Amino acid sequence: MRYAEPETVEAALSALSTHEDARCLAGGASLVAMMNAGRIGPGMLVSLHRIPELSTITETGDGLWLGAMCTHRTVAADARLRGAMAAVREAAAWLAHPAIRNMATLGGSVGLADPHTEIPVALVAASARVEVAGPGSRRVVPVESLFVDSYRTSLQRGELVTRVFLPRGEDGAVGHHLRFSRVAADYPTVSISLVLAMDGDRCRQVRVVVGSCGPVPLHVDAADQRLVGTRLEAEDVAEAGGLLARAAAPIDDVRGSAEYRRMLIPRLLGRALSQARERAHV
Ligand SMILES: Cc1cc2nc3c(=O)[nH]c(=O)nc-3n(C[C@H](O)[C@H](O)[C@H](O)COP(=O)(O)OP(=O)(O)OC[C@H]3O[C@@H](n4cnc5c(N)ncnc54)[C@H](O)[C@@H]3O)c2cc1C
């Protein structure tokens, strides 16, 4: 296996183009484990560690650009991720355990597209956009367009994620992430990320995304619409939760049965909404 440590994105793209099965190496938390287990054996590893651009955080008038190599620990500690962006900060703060949060990165979480993880869920809730670099060009796409299936993204061969944009969101919008796991540090059985804006006691805007209940983060427009304009009464939440549960495609695994996951969705949604709502009023 060959190994490269390029110092620019352009050099990384050039290294990626040399092998059909070349892979980016970010935190290595998942990639190295998969290699050790013999599940993959790339002919070329392109480390992204020496590329300063990929660890940069830039604040703009309407949000934050976070470099793909920002670790979860960095994201969790950045107080600028407030308002709608707080969903991503909270997901990064609570996932797994400190060793993983110190190693694993934002770009690695997008590139891995593991349906059991929660950074993709929070990014979709926050309406994040992702900059993708490929041979000779860069493009910015909505993050949800990258997640096409379990462990599969729409990234083309030779492309890499360079940075992620988190929009500030509407005035008064609050982001929140809630995970339910068997024990702390386990992958979530179900996770919910949402962005909520209230007008007095009525929901003005909401975007709810569910994780670990299908091959990609689950967003159901009709569920959001069922909540908008309501006072988020128990009946509203139950119906919106029912729409999400029916659209979900969970599996049975050691963290819970499909039936159990479907049952959890409305309950977690109610809890997440009431916690976000308290903050929306502060
Ligand atoms: C034990 C363990 C527990 C975990 N628990 C959780 C959890 O509870 N919640 C959660 O959300 N996540 C969890 N994760 C996943 C973790 O958050 C990361 O998603 C994952 O480890 C990948 O990040 P990484 O930086 O280590 O990427 P790597 O392992 O280096 O790479 C993963 C994949 O992404 C590709 N890749 C890396 N960077 C880029 C890039 N910039 N552009 C394109 N492709 C790229 C790689 O080629 C590879 O295919 C866990 C991981 C482990 C190992």
Side-chain angles (χ1 to χ4, degrees):
M1 185 189 71
R2 303 206 37 215
Y3 180 74
E5 283 190 339
E7 295 183 3
T8 63
V9 169
E10 288 64 35
L13 293 170
S14 158
L16 283 172
S17 70
T18 58
H19 272 71
E20 196 146 303
D21 60 349
R23 292 253 193 165
C24 297
L25 173 67
S30 297
L31 185 64
V32 173
M34 290 190 290
M35 288 167 62
N36 287 342
R39 282 173 54 194
I40 54 167
M44 172 84 173
L45 272 191
V46 180
S47 165
L48 305 180
H49 282 90
R50 292 189 186 275
I51 306 176
E53 175 190 336
L54 299 184
S55 299
T56 305
I57 302 182
T58 315
E59 194 164 13
T60 69
D62 53 355
L64 271 186
W65 281 103
L66 300 163
M69 287 297 284
C70 287
T71 62
H72 298 324
R73 184 181 67 164
T74 300
V75 171
D78 196 319
R80 289 172 295 181
L81 273 78
R82 54 180 178 271
M85 297 183 274
V88 178
R89 184 170 47 73
E90 290 177 3
W94 293 108
L95 68 81
H97 48 76
I100 296 297
R101 297 198 289 268
N102 287 342
M103 278 175 88
T105 65
L106 206 49
S109 295
V110 174
L112 186 65
D114 177 345
H116 308 290
T117 63
E118 49 214 302
I119 290 292
V121 181
L123 292 176
V124 175
S127 303
R129 300 196 289 278
V130 175
E131 185 182 75
V132 175
S137 68
R138 294 196 188 201
R139 61 196 165 95
V140 176
V141 297
V143 69
E144 59 267 35
S145 72
L146 291 179
F147 302 124
V148 296
D149 206 347
S150 183
Y151 297 101
R152 261 196 57 215
T153 69
S154 58
L155 291 171
Q156 301 298 304
R157 199 170 74 79
E159 287 188 331
L160 63 90
V161 171
T162 47
R163 55 185 184 156
V164 174
F165 181 70
L166 299 182
R168 218 170 280 289
E170 283 197 18
D171 273 358
V174 179
H176 186 43
H177 181 80
L178 190 62
R179 72 197 315 267
F180 179 88
S181 60
R182 296 175 302 174
V183 289
D186 192 11
Y187 285 90
T189 304
V190 176
S191 67
I192 289 206
S193 273
L194 57 83
V195 173
L196 173 71
M198 300 294 291
D199 241 344
D201 65 352
R202 290 199 181 262
C203 170
R204 169 160 43 97
Q205 188 222 330
V206 71
R207 182 171 168 85
V208 178
V209 182
V210 178
S212 305
C213 284
V216 297
L218 174 70
H219 174 235
V220 176
D221 209 37
D224 295 348
Q225 291 316 314
R226 178 61 189 80
L227 296 168
V228 170
T230 73
R231 292 193 171 87
L232 303 178
E233 308 279 9
E235 184 191 333
D236 307 316
V237 175
E239 283 188 24
L243 288 167
L244 286 161
R246 283 191 290 282
I251 56 167
D252 297 321
D253 68 12
V254 290
R255 296 185 183 86
S257 66
E259 187 189 353
Y260 180 54
R261 287 182 153 104
R262 280 209 173 86
M263 197 193 76
L264 278 176
I265 292 172
R267 287 164 174 75
L268 279 187
L269 175 63
R271 205 179 299 169
L273 280 168
S274 82
Q275 290 171 356
R277 183 180 189 161
E278 271 174 35
R279 272 195 246 155
H281 286 302
V282 172

